[in-house]
Amino acid sequence: MNKKTLRDIDVKGKRVFCRVDFNVPMKDGKVTDETRIRAALPTIQHLVEQGAKVILASHLGRPKGEVVEELRLTAVAERLQALLGKDVAKADEAFGENVQKTIDSMNEGDVLVLENVRFYPGEEKNDAELAKAFAELADVYVNDAFGAAHRAHASTEGIAHHIPAVAGFLMEKELDVLSKALSNPDRPFTAIVGGAKVKDKIDVIDNLLDKVDNLIIGGGLSYTFIKALGHEVGKSLLEEDKIDLAKSFMEKAKKNGVNFYMPVDVVVADDFSNDANTQTVSIENIPSDWEGLDAGPKTREIYADVIKNSKLVIWNGPMGVFELDTFANGTKAVAEALAEATDTYSVIGGGDSAAAVEKFGLADKMSHISTGGGASLEFMEGKELPGVVALNDK
Ligand SMILES: Nc1ncnc2c1ncn2[C@@H]1O[C@H](COP(=O)(O)OP(=O)(O)O)[C@@H](O)[C@H]1O
Ligand SMILES: O=C(OP(=O)(O)O)[C@H](O)COP(=O)(O)O
C-alpha cells in the first residue's frame, strides 16, 4: 500500500483520533453482532500497548445530524470494554470543551469512545469547521474504518487534512486483500455476483469482466440475464431497463475470454414464503405466475465445480433468498464449496453474503470476510475511496 500506516509512526504519549466503523447491528439497545468491533481490536490494542491516548470515533446508523437516543454509542463502548478487558470511557459528545477536558485527563493507554459523529450535521457534509474541531482533539489521525472509507465525511476524510493521517491495521488488511485480489490475482480467478440490487452491481460486473477468468451470476440478478437470453421469467425480479446491458456483458465475457456462468435451472415458487409451493424448472420453462427464488440443483453443481477449480474467489451477493430456508440451498452450496476448497482463497464482500456464511456456520472457513459492503463494492468497481485517498502517502 502506498499510504502510511500505524507501522510508520510512533504514537507513544500522543493523542490519537482513531476513526473506526462501529456501525453494528443493534436490537433493544444491545449489540447483536460484534464482528466490526472485534475487527478493530488489533489497532486499538496496538495503540493501547504503545501508550497512546486512544480516542475512538464512529457513526452508528443514520441519525441525519440529530441526536437519536437509540443511536448513542454507549452499548458499543460497553461491548468494547468487555472485549478489550480494560476500562473504556464514553463521552456524550464528539468534540468541544467537555470532550477536551476528558482528553486532558487521559493517561497513556487510556481509551475513550466519542459520541456518534453523525449526531452533527457537519459530519456527512464534510464540514471544514467540524473536521478542524475533530483534529484539535488529537495529534495524529488513524483511519481504521474500512466500512466507511467510501464516504467523504468530516471524521473519515476532512480531518486527515489537518493532522498526520495514517491507516490502521484493519484498513491496511482490507485494502491489501482486495487489491491483491484485483491487481495480481491467483488464477483461475472467479467472481460470484448475486443478490438483488441489480443497479448497484452493474458497474462491478463491468470492471470484473476485465479481470476474472470465470464470472458467476446468481440470485435475483440472474433473471435479467435469463430475460436477455430471450426466456420468460414469470414474476421473478427483473430490471427491464438493464436487459440490453446484461446482453452486452455476455458479449464482453465472450470477447474477453471469460467463462460466463448463469443458472441453467432455478427453484420457482408461487409465493414469497417458506411454505410456498415450489418446483425446479430449467430457465427456458419458468411458469408465468411463479417467481424464481433460488438456484436449481444442476446450477449448484456447476457453480461448486467452478469454485473448487479456482485459486481465488470473490463473492458478493447471495444465490437466492437464503433468509427463507426453503430457498437457501443455492447460497449454501456456494458457501459449502468455498469451505471445502481449502486451496482456494475466498473473499466475501460484506452485507448479506457475510450474514449467509455466518448463518451456515461457515464463516471461519472463509479466507477473508470484508467488514465493508458498500466500500468493498466501490473498491472492486475500481473507484478510489475518499477515506483512503486523504491519508498521507508513504
Ligand atoms: N431470486 C431472488 N429474488 C429476490 N431476492 C433475492 C433473490 N436472490 C437473492 N435475493 C435477495 O437478495 C438480497 C441481498 O441482495 P444484495 O443486497 O444485493 O446483496 P449484498 O448485501 O450481499 O450485497 C437478500 O436479501 C436475498 O434474499
Ligand atoms: O454499514 C456500512 O455500510 P455497508 O452496509 O455497505 O457495509 C458502513 O458503516 C457505512 O454506513 P453508511 O452506508 O450509513 O454510510
Side-chain angles (χ1 to χ4, degrees):
M1 192 169 69
N2 62 350
K3 293 292 177 181
K4 281 196 178 152
T5 75
L6 257 186
R7 276 172 245 281
D8 299 312
I9 56 164
D10 179 11
V11 294
K12 181 157 173 58
K14 301 231 172 90
R15 298 169 301 161
V16 176
F17 186 107
C18 180
R19 177 58 157 99
V20 287
D21 185 355
F22 283 169
N23 183 28
V24 291
M26 308 270 296
K27 200 167 178 216
D28 303 326
K30 293 220 167 68
V31 175
T32 54
D33 177 17
E34 60 194 29
T35 309
R36 279 182 169 163
I37 307 178
R38 281 182 187 279
L41 288 178
T43 289
I44 299 170
Q45 270 156 347
H46 172 87
L47 291 171
V48 168
E49 281 158 20
Q50 297 296 310
K53 297 172 184 172
V54 189
I55 305 158
L56 299 173
S58 178
H59 72 285
L60 176 62
R62 293 179 171 173
K64 302 203 166 77
E66 281 170 25
V67 175
V68 175
E69 287 303 324
E70 307 84 74
L71 295 178
R72 288 195 181 276
L73 281 165
T74 316
V76 173
E78 281 164 14
R79 277 315 299 150
L80 175 64
Q81 174 163 297
L83 289 168
L84 267 181
K86 80 183 266 28
D87 280 351
V88 169
K90 159 79 192 2
D92 293 330
E93 296 156 295
F95 69 98
E97 217 174 296
N98 291 334
V99 173
Q100 190 62 64
K101 270 192 201 138
T102 308
I103 293 172
D104 289 345
S105 67
M106 283 172 84
N107 293 313
E108 293 184 5
D110 282 356
V111 180
L112 169 70
V113 174
L114 300 178
E115 191 50 275
N116 191 341
V117 289
R118 287 197 187 164
F119 283 179
Y120 305 90
E123 167 65 6
E124 291 185 69
K125 290 189 192 128
N126 200 0
D127 177 70
E129 289 303 314
L130 183 60
K132 229 158 115 195
F134 286 149
E136 277 164 8
L137 299 175
D139 306 301
V140 178
Y141 172 67
V142 174
N143 192 351
D144 213 25
F146 174 74
H150 56 319
R151 308 284 181 220
H153 295 171
S155 71
T156 62
E157 203 273 347
I159 181 175
H161 299 290
H162 297 284
I163 47 178
V166 303
F169 295 139
L170 174 64
M171 179 71 91
E172 184 186 26
K173 183 176 163 202
E174 293 270 17
L175 294 171
D176 273 357
V177 169
L178 291 173
S179 33
K180 180 167 182 297
L182 292 179
S183 61
N184 183 21
D186 291 331
R187 296 187 181 276
F189 175 18
T190 299
I192 308 173
V193 187
K197 298 179 207 150
V198 180
K199 282 199 186 84
D200 293 357
K201 313 250 164 137
I202 292 297
D203 289 341
V204 81
I205 295 172
D206 194 23
N207 196 38
L208 288 172
L209 279 170
D210 293 324
K211 312 205 181 274
V212 299
D213 303 298
N214 306 307
L215 176 68
I216 293 178
I217 296 287
L221 286 182
S222 315
Y223 301 91
T224 303
F225 286 84
I226 293 173
K227 184 80 179 177
L229 287 180
H231 308 309
E232 290 311 319
V233 297
K235 296 211 157 95
S236 314
L237 195 77
L238 175 67
E239 295 275 352
E240 295 271 3
D241 58 340
K242 299 293 177 203
I243 297 170
D244 285 341
L245 199 62
K247 271 187 208 154
S248 76
F249 285 156
M250 291 189 261
E251 279 155 21
K252 181 168 176 181
K254 209 180 269 169
K255 193 173 126 253
N256 287 9
V258 172
N259 301 310
F260 180 86
Y261 299 91
M262 56 185 271
V264 292
D265 58 350
V266 293
V267 176
V268 295
D270 61 357
D271 186 28
F272 194 93
S273 81
N274 259 328
D275 341 299
N277 292 308
T278 64
Q279 49 177 318
T280 299
V281 294
S282 68
I283 56 165
E284 296 87 2
N285 295 313
I286 299 177
S288 59
D289 274 350
W290 295 57
E291 180 179 13
L293 295 180
D294 199 6
K298 283 194 197 124
T299 304
R300 285 176 235 154
E301 221 171 284
I302 296 169
Y303 290 6
D305 265 355
V306 175
I307 290 166
K308 285 178 189 161
N309 288 312
S310 301
K311 278 275 177 294
L312 169 68
V313 178
I314 56 178
W315 177 21
N316 187 297
M319 298 292 99
V321 183
F322 74 98
E323 298 92 335
L324 300 175
D325 288 344
T326 311
F327 309 107
N329 291 326
T331 308
K332 200 168 181 190
V334 163
E336 281 173 349
L338 284 171
E340 283 162 27
T342 44
D343 278 347
T344 307
Y345 195 88
S346 49
V347 181
I348 316 298
D352 289 294
S353 326
V357 292
E358 195 70 57
K359 174 177 163 153
F360 304 135
L362 297 170
D364 61 343
K365 298 275 194 327
M366 304 299 143
S367 315
H368 180 76
I369 298 182
S370 176
T371 51
S376 62
L377 257 188
E378 290 202 15
F379 188 89
M380 290 195 281
E381 281 164 26
K383 290 188 187 152
E384 298 218 83
L385 306 178
V388 178
V389 175
L391 299 176
N392 300 153
D393 291 330
K394 269 223 163 106

